[in-house]
Amino acid sequence: MNTVAFSSWNGKIVDNRTSGNGAGKTKKPAEGSCPVSLDGRSYDALMGWNGLVVVDPKTDVVALTLAYIEEARKLSCGECSVCMIGIDRVRDILQGLSAGKGSSQDITEIEDIVKGVMANSKCNFGRASALTPVLDSVKYFQDSFLEAGKTATAKKGAEKNFQSAVTAPCMKACPATLDIPGYIELIRNNKFKESLELVRERCILPGVIGRACTHPCESACVRKDMDGSLAIRLLKRAAADQDLQGGSALSVPKEEKKEKIAVIGAGPAGLAAAYHLRLLGYGVTIFEALPKGGGMAAVGIPDYRLPKDILNHEIDLIKRMGVDIRYSSKVDALNAADFQKQGYAAVFTAIGAHVGTKIGCKGEEIASDDVVQGADFLWGLSLGKKTKPVDRVVIIGGGNVALDCARNCLRLGFKSVEIVYRRSRVEMPGSKEEIEEALHEGVKLTYLTAPVGIVRKAGKVAAIECIKMKLGEPDESGRKRPIPVKGSEFSLKTDMVIAATGQKPDLGLLTGKDKGTLTTAWGTIKVDPVSYSTATARIFAGGDCVSGPATLIEALNMGNKAAKSIDSYLQGKTFVDELSFEGIDVDRQRDMGFVPPAKSEEVKFLDVAERLKGFAEVEGGFNADAAMKEAQRCLRCYRLMVWQ
Amino acid sequence: MAKMIINGHEIEAKAGATVLEEARKLNIDIPTLCYHKDLSSFGACRLCTVEVKIKGKWQLAASCQTEAAAGMEVRTDTDNVRESRKLAASLLYFRYPQTAVVRDMAAKLGVDVQAAADSRDCILCGLCTRTCHEIVGVDALKFKDRGLARDVEEPKIEFTPSTCIGCGSCAFVCPTGFVRMEAGDGKRIIWDKVFKMASCSACGRYFAPVEQLEFISRTTGVPVSQLMTCVSCR
């Protein structure tokens, strides 16, 4: 976009028109001052929470404004006096103008209503989005509105092809784009069942995600810098927990389709894809290598963070809607032709990333019980493998796997548990809560230290040689690069070493030419980033085996998307993803107004002494009343955008 | 106790009290349609708006939802406050032009109110839903949620007959008369559900719906048989 005819984005007026109010005041918009494109697609004009942007000067702004108001009306909850009634009143006036029955008095009234709605709405949709851009359109395109009756633009408006999309700061931050204000509002109104149904549309493991999610949504919450973010994750958990008492079933397919689909792996990605494909009416078979389902949620996340009955219940619900899960059924060769012969129209590969990567230090190559991979350690523990505690264990790594290993070791009775990480605490990829809880429970964290070699005495691990590190310039990951400090080597006594520095997928199932064409330089499966299809027809892939080790919700989202993409493929349609709002600042709004402070509801955590006795769940949840109270804090920051 | 200023008066606010409660203690008139002292605040009517000084700037705030805090400065009678209340009242009047309580409020706040036939509309104040949840504890009344991808044309209150005990609290608290309760012939009709009334074992007068007595029995453990006497005969 070189230039726009008009923009009021972020309240900054750019007007390159040759006539109209404020014409010719400013030239060309500054770079980044308004949305340049919508996921790479150009547009003629758009209206959004932060303003109006007109690229094509021939755009019918009156029709666009009416279309925006129609969409805004759908989003307004209608519970406070000003927002929805204000929208209706403005719509009435605009329709009157379009019918040729209006005057400049009407423009003044619209301005008064819009300002009143922005200043006095109960929620942030009313304050930020409901009518805000309408103020700009009636102000800067007043002539078009006053003359609208002559051109009968309202009638034409209905025929115009407008598109719309909705986001919110929390929704954009959520990898699976859950309708967070929506499900919170349902909890606020004491509708836990409906709330859970809404969550399940994009997150089929609500109890799991409600416990183990890294919740980027909460970092984006508008309340974060006021009186603290909403406890979004715990609200989702509350909806799931309430349901455990009632016990709902998942929706059944409306119609059965003739095609069958194979899913490899019953982790979050595989389960999500299976659920959505089944709901669309396909027959779905999941082949799972392990004797149980859940992937990393089952063999990665420890019981004290996620009791396994929660996970198993949610997998059971998916099974009960007719998904056939075959456990202990490892697929050794991913051969498209073989699957087709067995009657599967498509294959979704979601095998995860379970192979630990080497730490890269001397002595690591010798196989022994006292030098183990973090992933294998957690895996063994969750499959019932007995682990005898030793006095001292050193865990290498700074992610959640390292933290999970450490906290498990404490519970197993290891006396001294130390995590060694090569960067500092700020750069640790593990979640903040996990780090805090680990320290609270007695895990020792040693920063800016890297392993150099494992020292054995009589075949047993005796120590780990380490070197001190310092931080240099940021690397390609954006984190500061650790640099060894010469001559700072030291020895750390230990009886066991757990390596938790990373994981990659086991791509042994790729055969023939697929080995080359389906593998990336990082040892993951190569897919189209939108459709999750691979270079081999009928083979799709998603989850950690595509992204490398990521979060449960990211894997789950890939399963959601892949299911829709597979459906489009089988129905001969082109898969089009929803608008991502990428490159558009959804946090910014013109004026926040005053938000009465309201303290977040608190949950109880198990005492450390109790925790270390076993694997009981550490974090308590909200009961129904606490959840409803917390839900009342949601500002409902929906952002609407309508474009042409 | 927190020292704060309302309209220039320095007061000692009670811990946890709202600005609305403190202002009313000073006999300052603050209009409300969705507030009730025994219920949690809802902030829907937007009529109790006041101005609060935040970082040196006067900002509009719903006084029913704003907790009084030490050092807070509040104004309840400025042009900005009056205009804001008037706009909210005029929008309510636009939507419910025939509902007495809205008409009276709009007229009081300076809206030009025309003569009209009487009607009893639901103004979505949420008094009934909060009473049903917070006081009665049966949750027979809930807001029907509108919003993203939810195909609900108009906002409204949903009634769940299976959980209603016919206590009539919603009719009592409703400010417009939308919730109607009719009685007669040993029956009570509310939200179109017909309740059988229990007659007092002593005087024979119909005094409460059977379902309400059963609910009280369930929640207190007192057998229904012991609840069959009316208050005057007990």
Side-chain angles (χ1 to χ4, degrees):
Chain A
M1 185 198 296
N2 292 322
T3 184
V4 296
F6 175 86
S7 170
S8 65
W9 201 252
N10 286 333
K12 194 170 170 268
I13 304 298
V14 175
D15 201 336
N16 292 322
R17 293 173 299 168
T18 47
S19 64
N21 285 7
K25 266 186 191 161
T26 331
K27 298 295 173 214
K28 293 187 178 184
E31 199 161 323
S33 64
C34 64
V36 174
S37 71
L38 305 173
D39 285 347
R41 284 164 284 182
S42 63
Y43 61 87
D44 291 342
L46 71 77
M47 264 180 111
W49 65 99
N50 254 346
L52 166 70
V53 185
V54 178
V55 178
D56 179 357
K58 291 194 291 291
T59 302
D60 185 344
V61 173
V62 179
L64 176 65
T65 305
L66 280 165
Y68 183 86
I69 289 175
E70 286 304 324
E71 292 303 321
R73 193 185 191 278
K74 290 182 195 163
L75 275 176
S76 174
C77 76
E79 285 178 24
C80 85
S81 318
V82 291
C83 171
M84 184 168 167
I85 307 179
I87 290 171
D88 284 352
R89 181 75 192 114
V90 169
R91 183 174 63 171
D92 277 11
I93 301 170
L94 284 180
Q95 279 167 350
L97 283 171
S98 300
K101 292 178 286 186
S103 66
S104 57
Q105 194 67 35
D106 291 330
I107 303 289
T108 315
E109 192 181 346
I110 290 173
E111 286 179 350
D112 287 347
I113 294 171
V114 175
K115 282 178 191 159
V117 169
M118 284 170 72
N120 201 20
S121 276
K122 178 178 174 180
C123 80
N124 211 9
F125 173 69
R127 291 179 187 198
S129 199
L131 287 170
T132 306
V134 176
L135 195 61
D136 301 333
S137 58
V138 294
K139 187 172 176 190
Y140 293 99
F141 291 81
Q142 201 184 106
D143 295 347
S144 308
F145 282 90
L146 292 174
E147 284 160 23
K150 292 178 198 153
T151 51
T153 182
K155 277 175 208 144
K156 280 194 296 182
E159 295 152 21
K160 288 222 167 83
N161 192 18
F162 293 106
Q163 287 177 281
S164 73
V166 175
T167 187
C170 51
M171 285 173 75
K172 192 187 167 194
C174 175
T177 325
L178 261 70
D179 178 5
I180 294 167
Y183 79 72
I184 291 182
E185 189 174 9
L186 286 161
I187 289 176
R188 173 169 69 83
N189 284 334
N190 196 6
K191 293 183 169 175
F192 287 85
K193 194 169 167 279
E194 286 178 41
S195 175
L196 185 63
E197 279 164 11
L198 184 58
V199 171
R200 280 174 175 159
E201 286 180 15
R202 284 163 184 267
C203 171
I204 199 55
L205 301 173
V208 172
I209 297 296
R211 285 171 169 80
C213 195
T214 53
H215 54 79
C217 53
E218 292 182 20
S219 305
C221 178
V222 172
R223 274 201 111 106
K224 187 183 173 204
D225 297 325
M226 298 179 190
D227 49 9
S229 303
L230 267 278
I232 301 172
R233 177 178 60 82
L234 285 168
L235 286 172
K236 180 164 31 275
R237 172 178 163 178
D241 286 0
Q242 286 294 311
D243 186 64
L244 288 175
Q245 292 152 24
S248 66
L250 303 182
S251 319
V252 288
K254 287 195 189 82
E255 44 155 23
E256 292 291 338
K257 290 198 173 80
K258 60 181 196 305
E259 294 95 343
K260 283 199 305 174
I261 293 151
V263 173
I264 311 176
L271 289 169
Y275 164 74
H276 287 286
L277 288 165
R278 181 71 201 109
L279 194 61
L280 288 164
Y282 295 101
V284 182
T285 306
I286 306 183
F287 298 94
E288 169 57 54
L290 293 175
K292 53 168 112 179
M296 278 304 275
V299 298
I301 316 272
D303 287 10
Y304 58 84
R305 280 174 63 201
L306 170 63
K308 292 303 165 312
D309 52 343
I310 301 290
L311 170 67
N312 295 337
H313 167 70
E314 292 182 337
I315 295 175
D316 258 0
L317 290 177
I318 297 171
K319 269 168 83 172
R320 267 187 251 158
M321 68 186 292
V323 171
D324 178 17
I325 308 183
R326 298 187 191 163
Y327 294 115
S328 306
S329 305
K330 188 164 190 254
V331 173
D332 292 316
L334 176 59
N335 188 316
D338 280 355
F339 274 101
Q340 206 180 350
K341 259 182 241 159
Q342 289 172 55
Y344 296 106
V347 183
F348 179 58
T349 315
I351 54 170
H354 295 274
V355 184
T357 51
K358 297 277 178 207
I359 13 179
C361 76
K362 278 180 285 181
E364 184 186 16
E365 63 289 347
I366 306 165
S368 63
D369 286 350
D370 46 14
V371 178
V372 295
Q373 279 295 334
D376 295 344
F377 181 77
L378 296 175
W379 182 319
L381 206 61
S382 53
L383 293 177
K385 190 185 162 200
K386 294 271 178 290
T387 304
K388 239 178 87 186
V390 291
D391 281 352
R392 290 166 301 194
V393 59
V394 168
I395 297 148
I396 314 292
N400 280 342
V401 171
L403 292 156
D404 287 340
C405 287
R407 295 177 70 189
N408 265 319
C409 283
L410 283 178
R411 285 162 174 77
L412 287 165
F414 286 58
K415 288 199 183 73
S416 155
V417 179
E418 181 168 354
I419 289 178
V420 168
Y421 178 54
R422 59 190 184 145
R423 292 185 171 97
S424 72
R425 181 163 171 179
V426 206
E427 289 86 21
M428 272 180 86
S431 76
K432 223 176 101 197
E433 290 105 318
E434 279 281 291
I435 298 170
E436 274 160 23
E437 293 307 322
L439 288 169
H440 191 50
E441 288 169 6
V443 171
K444 192 180 168 205
L445 265 152
T446 303
Y447 307 105
L448 293 166
T449 303
V452 182
I454 293 163
V455 184
R456 287 184 170 84
K457 270 182 193 157
K460 292 233 171 251
V461 170
I464 183 157
E465 292 289 337
C466 297
I467 187 163
K468 284 279 171 200
M469 309 292 273
K470 63 177 183 195
L471 294 178
E473 291 302 306
D475 63 11
E476 62 274 13
S477 76
R479 295 176 301 174
K480 286 178 182 167
R481 189 190 301 275
I483 304 161
V485 179
K486 263 189 190 159
S488 70
E489 291 86 352
F490 67 103
S491 178
L492 207 57
K493 279 187 183 164
T494 188
D495 305 308
M496 185 175 175
V497 174
I498 299 177
T501 52
Q503 283 160 239
K504 58 181 177 27
D506 175 3
L507 296 187
L509 80 171
L510 297 183
T511 56
K513 69 168 176 50
D514 283 353
K515 271 185 196 169
T517 52
L518 263 55
T519 313
T520 67
W522 300 277
T524 53
I525 298 180
K526 195 191 277 179
V527 297
D528 176 88
V530 175
S531 67
Y532 294 96
S533 58
T534 67
T536 303
R538 295 169 190 275
I539 304 280
F540 295 75
D544 280 1
C545 66
V546 164
S547 59
T551 58
L552 300 179
I553 191 73
E554 284 168 281
L556 212 133
N557 178 53
M558 288 189 253
N560 293 346
K561 293 255 167 88
K564 293 201 170 70
S565 165
I566 290 169
D567 178 51
S568 300
Y569 168 74
L570 293 177
Q571 302 305 320
K573 293 179 213 149
T574 315
F575 175 65
V576 184
D577 207 353
E578 58 199 3
L579 185 71
S580 71
F581 287 92
E582 210 55 60
I584 300 171
D585 179 4
V586 304
D587 296 336
R588 185 127 46 135
Q589 67 184 67
R590 297 242 185 125
D591 189 9
M592 187 70 226
F594 171 67
V595 177
K599 250 182 82 185
S600 193
E601 291 292 306
E602 280 177 15
V603 293
K604 285 204 175 84
F605 284 78
L606 212 58
D607 284 341
V608 170
E610 275 305 309
R611 291 184 198 182
L612 299 185
K613 283 180 190 163
F615 293 85
E617 186 166 23
V618 167
E619 186 185 40
F622 288 140
N623 62 23
D625 272 339
M628 284 172 69
K629 265 193 204 147
E630 179 67 14
Q632 284 191 11
R633 299 179 65 240
C634 178
L635 294 172
R636 211 176 176 274
C637 312
Y638 280 130
R639 319 284 205 210
L640 168 66
M641 192 143 89
V642 173
W643 70 94
Q644 188 189 355
Chain B
M1 297 293 257
K3 268 196 184 145
M4 62 176 292
I5 297 167
I6 302 183
N7 293 352
H9 303 283
E10 193 175 283
I11 58 152
E12 295 266 350
K14 213 175 89 186
T18 61
V19 169
L20 174 67
E21 287 161 346
E22 290 299 331
R24 284 191 172 170
K25 267 197 230 161
L26 295 172
N27 287 324
I28 295 170
D29 180 33
I30 294 187
T32 57
L33 279 177
C34 70
Y35 174 79
H36 191 289
K37 67 175 176 49
D38 296 327
L39 298 172
S40 63
S41 67
F42 187 48
C45 74
R46 313 313 287 173
L47 294 169
C48 71
T49 301
V50 297
E51 277 186 315
V52 178
K53 202 174 192 176
I54 307 290
K55 289 178 190 156
K57 199 178 150 200
W58 290 102
Q59 300 247 32
L60 290 176
S63 62
C64 72
Q65 293 197 307
T66 306
E67 224 175 88
M72 188 181 258
E73 267 187 85
V74 175
R75 299 194 301 206
T76 72
D77 202 18
T78 63
D79 284 347
N80 203 10
V81 167
R82 273 191 292 272
E83 272 163 30
S84 184
R85 288 178 186 168
K86 186 180 168 185
L87 180 86
S90 73
L91 288 171
L92 282 167
Y93 173 61
F94 165 73
R95 172 59 48 89
Y96 313 109
Q98 300 177 314
T99 301
V101 67
V102 171
R103 295 168 55 82
D104 294 348
M105 180 63 78
K108 184 180 144 185
L109 296 176
V111 179
D112 183 18
V113 174
Q114 311 288 320
D118 190 43
S119 164
R120 300 167 172 193
D121 293 320
C122 170
I123 60 168
L124 303 164
C125 67
L127 284 169
C128 60
T129 58
R130 278 174 287 154
T131 302
C132 196
H133 175 72
E134 296 170 22
I135 308 287
V136 187
V138 299
D139 295 321
L141 296 170
K142 293 176 181 178
F143 270 93
K144 183 151 185 69
D145 285 271
R146 281 168 42 83
L148 182 56
R150 253 169 279 140
D151 202 10
V152 182
E153 186 57 27
E154 296 299 327
K156 61 178 178 194
I157 310 285
E158 265 180 319
F159 174 63
T160 311
S162 58
T163 54
C164 179
I165 56 169
C167 70
S169 304
C170 50
F172 174 76
V173 80
C174 177
T176 68
F178 173 77
V179 185
R180 285 180 211 209
M181 187 164 78
E182 284 156 31
D185 204 18
K187 284 184 199 131
R188 172 182 285 180
I189 304 168
I190 190 161
W191 293 91
D192 293 333
K193 182 179 172 184
V194 182
F195 290 89
K196 191 171 168 269
M197 296 296 280
S199 62
C200 173
S201 57
C203 68
R205 186 174 67 92
Y206 291 116
F207 72 101
V210 175
E211 284 187 46
Q212 184 178 4
L213 297 177
E214 286 167 353
F215 174 78
I216 295 170
S217 171
R218 273 201 307 279
T219 48
T220 60
V222 176
V224 176
S225 57
Q226 289 180 31
L227 297 167
M228 294 305 278
T229 323
C230 78
V231 185
S232 1
C233 296
R234 241 172 250 168

